[in-house]
Amino acid sequence: MDAFNNLGLGFSVAFEPMNLLFVFVGVVIGTAIGVLPGLGPTATIALLLPITYTMDATSAVIMLAGIYYGSMYGGTITSVLLRIPGEAASVVTTFDGYQMTKQGRAGPALGISAIGSFIGGTVAIIGLTFLAPVLAQVAVAVGPASYVAIMVLGLFLVTSLGTGSTMKSLCMAAIGLLLSTVGQDPITGTARFTFGIPSLLGGFDFVAIAMGLFGVGQLLHSLERTEKAQAITTKIKNIWPSRKDFRDSSGAIARGSLLGFVIGVLPGGGGVISSLASYALEKRRAKDPSRFGNGAIEGVAGPETANNASSTSAFIPLLILGIPSNVVLAMLYGALLLQGITPGPSLIEDRPDIFWGVIASMYIGNVMLVILNIPLIGIFIQMLRVRTGILATFALMVVMVGVYSINNNPFDMWVVLIFGVFGWIMIKTGFDPGPLVLAFILGPILERSFRQSMLISDGSFGIFVTDPISATIFGALAVSLTYSFISRRRRVKAAQTLSRECLGNGVSGVFH
């Protein structure tokens, strides 16, 4: 009954007129930026962080959360109609969604996407409602050694489950950890890596780094893009799927909901991984796998459902453990810090209005998205006609004014510009800035927990073995790394053997 009482509190907060307005604003902006290729929720939330500084904490997080899961809906529209993924997680939808459009079935593709997204998001919210309080009680008993192991696990998953090169992700995570140490030592107060610059005594500001890497960096990259928006010539009709469509998609939606929920909880998991996993699962289970890539509606329903389920369940580690599962939630973490609120096990007790208000707003936001998403397709598509240069100029002005307004410090403006150029270079060279930002967020928690563990154990590393949670996590990591190393060695040896055999056969053939 406590969960229902708490949810009642949440709905009383979410139904306040201003919060209800910000739910609507969030999902509309989210859908819009999901439609715009290349922008995405990360850059948008990074640009809006300074604005949230002047807002009520609950309203700010409700709006940013709406932008996050709303963008998952919006990215579907151009993926299906134009084969242009508006958001990274929507790439998988292009495989079968665009083929359905070519077959004159764009309506059912968009319809089943909206329905699957609603079901997946709702299932994840229900899981979040009942699971979060239980995890919070467990998390309160977690000690510093366990937190060290959890942070290391988070960094490992972020670098290994990412969509880019593992080595490049490790490099970015290392840079993020290094940047997190700039400033005063949290225990001794000694200046570290400040190089005599007084503005660095407090360390780098998270908002300035995020706005530079994802805001300015993405804007610079977008200005380089010269491709023109494609015109929509397809007539969208019969949006409500047929009985056969529902029958074919029901299993994919059910599996996608559960799969997305589980993957979203993992650090480093998220929409891209969950949608890929769902697509692979449905193709493996299909009686005729050749249908996939040729307009199979399950190839649209499953990934879209998993995508939205994972974007919702990812709030569990953020709100309960204070660990952002992906880079978008790192932005939300930063928004909470701006409000003087630190996510963690005590958030439910200290600020139940924020915790339960955000959860209740997700129920409302999912309903709004279903109602608004289909009728406004034409309006959202027209946004592709807006010139990138106009959007970039306006956004850059908002960034510079916003970052200055937070601390009234011109130094932060230079940080934004420097990291903006750095972010642009990273995009050009194939480096993902996500691990850098997540490591920057997790770094202080990791350092604080590690030093607390050393103080408790009088400098003995044995505390990480005697602590049950820490020992289990580090043991699992050791087994995983060992297995990965052995598997890689076997693949290299197999490739070398095959190469020698092919070379030998080629030489024999020449002499013969």
Side-chain angles (χ1 to χ4, degrees):
M1 289 300 293
D2 286 342
F4 291 104
N5 293 334
N6 292 328
L7 200 56
L9 168 65
F11 276 111
S12 69
V13 173
F15 275 119
E16 291 178 6
M18 286 303 297
N19 289 337
L20 204 57
L21 173 63
F22 281 118
V23 174
F24 178 78
V25 170
V27 297
V28 171
I29 292 177
T31 305
I33 61 103
V35 169
L36 293 172
L39 190 55
T42 306
T44 303
I45 292 177
L47 296 174
L48 291 176
L49 279 179
I51 298 176
T52 64
Y53 183 66
T54 60
M55 296 170 58
D56 174 73
T58 305
S59 300
V61 180
I62 283 175
M63 183 186 74
L64 295 179
I67 292 174
Y68 178 35
Y69 56 80
S71 66
M72 303 302 169
Y73 276 76
T76 307
I77 298 174
T78 47
S79 295
V80 170
L81 298 181
L82 299 176
R83 206 178 185 179
I84 300 175
E87 207 279 324
S90 299
V91 171
V92 181
T93 310
T94 63
F95 299 164
D96 287 276
Y98 185 66
Q99 292 298 322
M100 291 183 67
T101 297
K102 291 173 65 176
Q103 298 166 10
R105 285 172 45 80
L110 291 171
I112 204 67
S113 297
I115 294 169
S117 297
F118 172 76
I119 294 174
T122 302
V123 168
I125 299 169
I126 293 172
L128 178 59
T129 302
F130 291 96
L131 185 61
V134 177
L135 290 178
Q137 294 177 358
V138 175
V140 171
V142 173
S146 299
Y147 254 100
V148 170
I150 293 172
M151 295 300 113
V152 173
L153 175 64
L155 290 171
F156 173 79
L157 292 176
V158 164
T159 54
S160 61
L161 296 181
T163 55
S165 165
T166 301
M167 287 305 299
K168 289 182 177 180
S169 296
L170 284 172
C171 291
M172 289 298 99
I175 293 174
L177 289 174
L178 177 62
L179 291 174
S180 70
T181 63
V182 175
Q184 290 182 308
D185 186 286
I187 295 179
T188 65
T190 306
R192 304 183 301 188
F193 306 113
T194 59
F195 304 102
I197 302 174
S199 297
L200 286 179
L201 284 174
F204 284 107
D205 186 87
F206 168 76
V207 176
I209 290 180
M211 292 176 70
L213 289 176
F214 296 104
V216 177
Q218 188 62 56
L219 291 176
L220 292 175
H221 179 64
S222 298
L223 289 174
E224 289 186 310
R225 303 176 63 172
T226 57
E227 65 266 23
K228 298 181 179 179
Q230 302 178 31
I232 300 294
T233 57
T234 304
K235 290 185 178 180
I236 302 174
K237 54 185 179 179
N238 300 327
I239 293 179
W240 193 256
S242 65
R243 288 186 178 180
K244 183 179 184 301
D245 291 332
F246 275 117
R247 188 167 56 250
D248 293 340
S249 305
S250 58
I253 290 175
R255 288 184 290 271
S257 298
L258 296 177
L259 183 64
F261 179 83
V262 173
I263 291 178
V265 174
L266 299 175
V272 178
I273 296 174
S274 61
S275 56
L276 283 170
S278 175
Y279 191 85
L281 176 63
E282 296 308 317
K283 188 173 183 179
R284 187 177 298 113
R285 288 180 55 89
K287 295 180 179 178
D288 182 13
S290 63
R291 293 175 52 249
F292 284 77
N294 294 297
I297 196 168
E298 308 97 295
V300 176
E304 283 299 314
T305 303
N307 179 10
N308 281 267
S310 66
S311 66
T312 301
S313 64
F315 280 83
I316 291 178
L318 172 69
L319 298 177
I320 300 303
L321 297 175
I323 303 174
S325 299
N326 54 55
V327 69
V328 183
L329 292 182
M331 303 294 113
L332 289 170
Y333 185 97
L336 287 168
L337 293 181
L338 279 177
Q339 300 286 346
I341 299 167
T342 303
S346 61
L347 182 63
I348 295 181
E349 297 295 331
D350 296 342
R351 293 299 303 269
D353 56 327
I354 291 181
F355 185 87
W356 294 107
V358 170
I359 292 179
S361 73
M362 293 180 181
Y363 286 100
I364 300 171
N366 267 279
V367 174
M368 285 184 176
L369 282 168
V370 170
I371 297 173
L372 295 174
N373 204 251
I374 301 302
L376 295 180
I377 285 177
I379 296 176
F380 288 127
I381 289 297
Q382 293 303 314
M383 294 180 60
L384 291 170
R385 299 179 181 273
V386 180
R387 293 177 58 184
T388 303
I390 296 175
L391 290 174
T393 302
F394 176 75
L396 186 59
M397 288 191 299
V398 171
V399 166
M400 301 311 291
V401 172
V403 75
Y404 177 78
S405 66
I406 294 176
N407 297 316
N408 295 325
N409 187 358
F411 179 78
D412 290 339
M413 301 174 71
W414 285 107
V415 173
V416 168
L417 292 176
I418 292 171
F419 277 94
V421 174
F422 184 45
W424 171 68
I425 294 173
M426 289 169 64
I427 295 173
K428 297 279 289 182
T429 54
F431 283 84
D432 182 8
L436 187 154
V437 173
L438 286 167
F440 182 80
I441 287 286
L442 300 179
I445 307 174
L446 174 61
E447 180 185 9
R448 183 174 63 251
S449 300
F450 178 78
R451 296 178 74 167
Q452 288 175 346
S453 301
M454 292 294 96
L455 290 172
I456 293 172
S457 64
D458 292 328
S460 172
F461 287 95
I463 189 173
F464 300 111
V465 178
T466 56
D467 182 272
I469 298 177
S470 173
T472 301
I473 293 176
F474 280 124
L477 282 175
V479 171
S480 175
L481 290 173
T482 303
Y483 175 77
S484 176
F485 176 77
I486 294 174
S487 299
R488 184 173 298 179
R489 288 290 301 273
R490 286 178 176 174
R491 288 196 299 268
V492 170
K493 288 184 177 180
Q496 292 174 345
T497 302
L498 180 62
S499 178
R500 286 194 296 268
E501 290 178 354
C502 292
L503 183 61
N505 291 336
V507 172
S508 300
V510 170
F511 281 102
H512 180 73

